Amino acid sequence: MAEAIKPKKTLDCVGLYCPEPLFQTREQIDSIEVGDVLEVLADDPAAEEDLKRFAKRTGNELLELENKEGTLRFLIKKMK
Amino acid sequence: MVDDADALVTLTPEVFRKERNIDARILHEVTEIDLKGRRLQVRQLDGNKKAWWEPFDQLMIATGALPIKPDVPGVDATGIYGVHTLQSGIEVRTAVDQERPKRGVIIGGGYIGLEMAEALVRRGMEVSLVERAEQVMLTLDTDMGALVSEALMAVGVKLFREESLQGFDVRDGRVQRVVTDKRTLPADIVILGMGVRPNAALAKEAGISLGEKGSITLNDRMQTDVEGVWAAGDCAQSFHLISKRPFYVALGTVANKQGRVAGINIGGGTAAFPGVVGTAVSKICAAEVARTGLQERELKQLGWKYVSERIESRTRAGYYPKAGRITVKVLAEKGSGRLLGGQIVGYEGAAKRIDILATALHGGMTVQEMVHLDLSYAPPYAPVWDPVLMAARQVEKLI
């Protein structure tokens, strides 16, 4: 197993409803450098689809997505 | 939500043939109904494209509905979409995912407008919505519609109310801007959500009676006024159990029930579909919207005396995590207290509570009776007085 990725920033969206997690993720991605990783935590199930699509659409890489008892944890790497 | 559109196709012609002994022919268009000759003019849309007369013993018309297309300049330009079939939904989604339009403009703030607004917002688009009326969701009273307007704006939709569509600016066949009576809005994609109308042209040409909003008139067995001709679904009329009037509604739940009743009757059995109470539900992101029964506008048109009250509450015990706001409005008949309608806007499972009101309407309950309903309670599910009961209690004071 590769060593754990250390995110540059963590965005906690637990308790926020769609589309807040998407809006805030977009803002935070804008605020980090290319190559940095943003960690996003969310518990709204809609966030999974929204952030997966966001990554695909913007060309950023979704490194990891795990679901721990309903809390989703995303690691998104800014690619451009 | 659903990645593969094929997952939404419930039944294929193969399934019909193999499992149900039904010869279902797709891409075959009926262009004329000859009632005297008891036959249909059918045209094959693919392959050798031939046309012929197909005789029938019993005829079932289920031609659905068509999106209302505004009669304005530029409406046929590329980039303007209606959403009324699975196919048109796929077309919109493909256009959005492949062309990546930035600015979407939605015309109409009803169910389609709301649901499309969510779809576009969640795809990172700038979304504007143009609504002709004072508030969105005309199937709600204005005070409740205002809550939905707020919910739309809270998710970033630019909402333009009391504005009407005048036309579209088009360049090289492609839409560029939406023109309203107050402004122009740049648009990379336009979604028409102006409602639907019955697709009953074939029936009309054949001389079958039409009723509410041009839908095919029916009795409760789903028979039209012509012997051996039946209808069901979005092309057909229904009956409102509260107003006791013919009523047009285009909803899948009703279409299925009507289809089932028609099928039983055509097959030699006996079934009747009594009608509807006008229940519908939708959402814009986390904000849920539901309604049932008659609303103020309909009651005023009928000239009925009514009372109403609106309450704010939570969907769970107030201290419980994730308790959401819920607003419930109940309308009842002045004097008798008979429940006439209800509307809900809220979060966290607010909408399904409309079923309590829908059931009470079917049962002809009064608000006095509703106050004592033995509903379920535990902190994760409701406050100790369910919001619906609270609203009924407040209305009871006014009858």
Side-chain angles (χ1 to χ4, degrees):
Chain A
M1 176 88 207
E3 62 178 64
I5 303 157
K6 195 162 188 299
K8 185 70 184 280
K9 250 190 191 176
T10 297
L11 171 60
D12 187 349
C13 292
V14 170
L16 297 181
Y17 296 130
C18 112
E20 270 309 302
L22 171 64
F23 288 177
Q24 294 198 17
T25 299
R26 205 162 43 191
E27 260 174 29
Q28 293 306 313
I29 286 281
D30 282 345
S31 76
I32 60 175
E33 308 281 319
V34 175
D36 286 344
V37 174
L38 174 71
E39 178 185 39
V40 182
L41 303 168
D43 61 342
D44 183 356
E48 178 170 344
E49 213 178 292
D50 289 356
L51 294 190
K52 268 189 184 159
R53 234 181 342 226
F54 165 76
K56 194 163 169 220
R57 197 172 58 233
T58 53
N60 292 307
E61 198 183 330
L62 179 61
L63 296 174
E64 233 172 79
L65 165 54
E66 65 174 19
N67 186 338
K68 246 202 195 124
E69 286 159 30
T71 301
L72 300 161
R73 179 173 170 267
F74 303 81
L75 286 175
I76 304 174
K77 182 172 180 180
K78 184 165 179 172
M79 301 297 281
K80 43 181 168 162
Chain B
M1 310 251 91
V2 178
D3 281 322
D4 184 0
D6 283 345
L8 294 172
V9 179
T10 345
L11 296 166
T12 61
E14 289 68 40
V15 169
F16 271 118
R17 228 167 274 136
K18 287 198 187 110
E19 297 178 21
R20 301 191 181 192
N21 199 23
I22 294 173
D23 179 14
R25 302 181 223 169
I26 54 172
L27 294 168
H28 282 61
E29 184 182 4
V30 172
T31 52
E32 193 184 323
I33 301 174
D34 173 5
L35 287 177
K36 266 226 191 80
R38 297 195 84 74
R39 53 185 194 160
L40 305 173
Q41 172 79 202
V42 184
R43 196 175 63 186
Q44 204 171 322
L45 295 175
D46 63 351
N48 56 28
K49 302 215 176 22
K50 59 187 170 102
W52 66 95
W53 284 103
E54 181 84 31
F56 66 83
D57 299 309
Q58 299 288 318
L59 177 66
M60 166 74 158
I61 304 175
T63 45
L66 294 170
I68 289 171
K69 208 167 133 186
D71 185 17
V72 296
V75 73
D76 289 313
T78 329
I80 301 178
Y81 297 87
V83 189
H84 60 292
T85 56
L86 179 56
Q87 190 53 44
S88 57
I90 293 171
E91 276 163 25
V92 176
R93 192 176 71 167
T94 308
V96 170
D97 290 344
Q98 286 179 4
E99 293 162 32
R100 309 259 166 91
K102 286 210 167 56
R103 299 157 304 187
V105 179
I106 299 174
I107 315 292
Y111 302 107
I112 291 182
L114 230 62
E115 294 178 11
M116 289 310 295
E118 173 175 340
L120 299 189
V121 159
R122 291 176 61 191
R123 279 167 170 79
M125 290 177 60
E126 273 171 45
V127 183
S128 299
L129 193 147
V130 179
E131 167 56 59
R132 197 171 43 181
E134 204 182 320
Q135 301 295 348
V136 297
M137 294 304 289
L138 272 180
T139 51
L140 300 181
D141 294 332
T142 323
D143 57 337
M144 298 298 283
L147 298 176
V148 184
S149 294
E150 275 163 37
L152 259 177
M153 293 187 283
V155 297
V157 173
K158 289 199 209 84
L159 181 60
F160 301 100
R161 286 165 283 186
E162 292 184 291
E163 245 176 86
S164 23
L165 174 71
Q166 310 255 278
F168 301 99
D169 278 348
V170 176
R171 193 178 58 206
D172 298 329
R174 204 185 168 87
V175 69
Q176 303 295 317
R177 270 179 302 270
V178 170
V179 182
T180 73
D181 56 344
K182 294 201 176 110
R183 76 197 78 231
T184 60
L185 296 165
D188 302 310
I189 187 171
V190 175
I191 313 280
L192 297 175
M194 297 170 76
V196 297
R197 59 180 177 80
N199 181 16
L202 276 177
K204 185 175 181 186
E205 274 150 28
I208 297 167
S209 285
L210 302 186
E212 281 297 297
K213 310 226 166 111
S215 60
I216 301 172
T217 57
L218 300 176
N219 61 18
D220 66 355
R221 317 264 138 156
M222 306 295 108
Q223 289 168 312
T224 67
D225 65 341
V226 177
E227 178 72 40
V229 179
W230 313 71
D234 291 2
C235 67
Q237 194 172 261
S238 185
F239 182 76
H240 201 294
L241 293 168
I242 310 301
S243 69
K244 300 262 190 284
R245 302 274 162 98
F247 184 67
Y248 174 67
V249 63
L251 288 173
T253 43
V254 180
N256 266 280
K257 290 179 185 123
Q258 288 185 326
R260 181 177 167 273
V261 164
I264 291 172
N265 289 325
I266 295 171
T270 316
F273 177 61
V276 301
V277 295
T279 311
V281 66
S282 189
K283 73 180 186 83
I284 170 71
C285 294
E288 305 175 11
V289 181
R291 58 98 61 220
T292 190
L294 298 170
Q295 63 190 102
E296 292 199 54
R297 178 171 39 89
E298 292 168 309
L299 291 167
K300 288 189 174 113
Q301 270 165 15
L302 288 166
W304 291 7
K305 289 204 164 25
Y306 66 93
V307 292
S308 72
E309 190 59 85
R310 191 180 71 228
I311 61 104
E312 304 261 334
S313 183
R314 315 290 283 176
T315 55
R316 305 168 202 254
Y319 52 81
Y320 205 83
K322 287 187 164 281
R325 238 181 53 221
I326 177 174
T327 305
V328 181
K329 181 171 183 178
V330 166
L331 299 98
E333 189 169 45
K334 183 128 182 88
S336 71
R338 185 169 65 108
L339 181 68
L340 294 175
Q343 295 155 41
I344 297 178
V345 178
Y347 297 80
E348 292 292 336
K352 271 306 252 175
R353 279 182 165 76
I354 204 72
D355 291 344
I356 303 169
L357 292 162
T359 309
L361 283 170
H362 273 283
M365 291 182 84
T366 60
V367 286
Q368 305 90 301
E369 288 166 320
M370 286 187 67
V371 163
H372 297 295
L373 280 173
D374 188 14
L375 301 180
S376 59
Y377 161 69
Y381 298 103
V384 94
W385 274 97
D386 190 277
V388 170
L389 295 197
M390 263 180 72
R393 235 174 67 196
Q394 297 306 316
V395 173
E396 191 189 10
K397 293 181 191 166
L398 303 171
I399 57 176

